[in-house]
Amino acid sequence: DKEQYRAWGEPLSNFGYAVALPNHRLAPDDPYPAAAADVALALQWVLRYAAESGIRRDGIFLAGHSSGAHLAALLALHPRWLPEAGIQRADVAGVIGISGIYALEPFIAAAPAADYLQPVFGTNPETWADASPLHWAHGATPPFFLAYAEHDYPGAAAQAEAMASALERAGGDAHVVAVPGRDHVTILTGVRSV
């Protein structure tokens, strides 16, 4: 729920940034690709009303925490979601991913992650690959800022580093930051003190 991210949006808004925090459909009632399609449509709406809202179309960043980081990266890189919403990849100035999963395969078949990932992405490895942003890091990519917490979920550091490496191999720019003393939740809740 977007209300959980008010603590992230308010400081950005106080600095003069426009912030949109869209909700999206959830699994198991609406499995992949429902959330990706919903977020793409939310971005379409932001861009459609950018002029009357005073939003700079050339400064749109996709950002998210945890599953939101996954969705932000997926939208920026996957060849399907932005074009289906009538959005050009060039409309995305950058991506900020905090504690995201960018390659699903290492997690989706193993407990305990399988308990919450399989209802979203199913059991088909082709779907896992399609939903993994890392697999779509080719061609022109926007710059990425990727962060993970010192005490994040197991594999968070490897996920961020692998995503950055894939982006750099594709000719893109990626910056990875390890945030000391934080965990998967406090990496975000600590934004208020920044």
Side-chain angles (χ1 to χ4, degrees):
D1 189 311
K2 63 186 174 187
E3 283 298 316
Q4 295 173 333
Y5 291 88
R6 180 182 293 272
W8 197 29
E10 284 179 346
L12 292 170
S13 179
N14 291 338
F15 281 115
Y17 295 99
V19 179
L21 299 169
N23 283 337
H24 57 74
R25 289 174 287 171
L26 300 172
D29 291 338
D30 295 294
Y32 178 80
D38 290 352
V39 176
L41 289 174
L43 178 58
Q44 177 192 64
W45 186 91
V46 167
L47 290 169
R48 179 182 300 146
Y49 297 103
E52 65 190 70
S53 302
I55 296 170
R56 285 183 41 205
R57 284 185 60 104
D58 64 341
I60 302 288
F61 279 74
L62 300 178
H65 167 253
S66 196
S67 63
H70 167 260
L71 287 168
L74 188 66
L75 259 64
L77 299 173
H78 197 287
R80 176 179 176 188
W81 303 114
L82 294 182
E84 281 190 6
I87 303 166
Q88 301 295 314
R89 187 182 266 189
D91 288 329
V92 176
V95 176
I96 301 168
I98 300 173
S99 300
I101 294 177
Y102 307 106
L104 293 168
E105 294 91 332
F107 294 96
I108 204 154
D115 294 341
Y116 63 87
L117 290 176
Q118 284 188 0
V120 180
F121 301 103
T123 57
N124 184 341
E126 289 180 14
T127 302
W128 306 344
D130 184 68
S132 294
L134 187 138
H135 294 299
W136 300 107
H138 50 78
T141 65
F144 272 64
F145 174 85
L146 303 168
Y148 62 91
E150 178 182 7
H151 307 292
D152 218 317
Y153 67 85
Q159 286 280 315
E161 295 293 347
M163 186 76 239
S165 293
L167 291 162
E168 289 166 357
R169 281 193 306 274
D173 182 34
H175 184 72
V176 179
V177 172
V179 180
R182 302 284 180 158
D183 62 29
H184 191 69
V185 174
T186 61
I187 190 172
L188 185 67
T189 58
V191 168
R192 198 178 278 273
S193 63
V194 172

